[in-house]
C-alpha cells in the first residue's frame, strides 16, 4: 500500500521504501554532524521521509555544498 509521502515531491510510495537523512551517517564525508546542520538550514529533520529519487537529489546537493565549503 502506498501511504508514505515524500516531503519534497509529495509522491506516495510504499513505507518499506522510506529514506531519511539518517542514511547519510554512513558516508565518509561530510560528517553526519555537518550533514544534520546543513539539513537543519533546509528545515529537514532526521525523520522526514523521502522517496529514492529525492534522497539522491539531497545527497548530491549536500555533497556539492560540502565540496564548495572545502574550497573556501
Amino acid at each position: 500500500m502506498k501511504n508514505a509521502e515524500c516531503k519534497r515531491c509529495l509522491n506516495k510510495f510504499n513505507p518499506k521504501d522510506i529514506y531519511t537523512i539518517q542514511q547519510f551517517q554512513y558516508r565518509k564525508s561530510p560528517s553526519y554532524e555537518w550533514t544534520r546542520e546543513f539539513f537543519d538550514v533546509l528545515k529537514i529533520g532526521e525523520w522526514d521521509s523521502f522517496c529514492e529519487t529525492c534522497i539522491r537529489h539531497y545527497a548530491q546537493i549536500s555533497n556539492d555544498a560540502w565540496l564548495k565549503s572545502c574550497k573556501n
Side-chain angles (χ1 to χ4, degrees), residues 2-67:
K2 293 185 176 187
N3 60 359
E5 183 176 80
C6 179
K7 180 174 176 150
R8 179 174 177 250
C9 69
L10 304 178
N11 286 336
K12 301 277 188 195
F13 55 92
N14 294 320
K16 68 178 184 163
D17 297 324
I18 289 175
Y19 294 90
T20 68
I21 65 167
Q22 287 192 339
Q23 263 79 21
F24 298 139
Q25 67 185 314
Y26 302 108
R27 63 182 176 182
K28 291 183 181 182
S29 66
S31 70
Y32 188 57
E33 182 178 332
W34 183 93
T35 300
R36 282 195 344 253
E37 290 173 10
F38 176 79
F39 285 109
D40 280 346
V41 171
L42 298 176
K43 306 272 191 267
I44 295 173
E46 287 184 276
W47 295 105
D48 288 333
S49 301
F50 297 96
C51 65
E52 184 176 1
T53 301
C54 291
I55 203 69
R56 287 178 189 255
H57 166 78
Y58 283 123
Q60 184 64 52
I61 65 167
S62 65
N63 191 57
D64 290 348
W66 169 253
L67 292 173

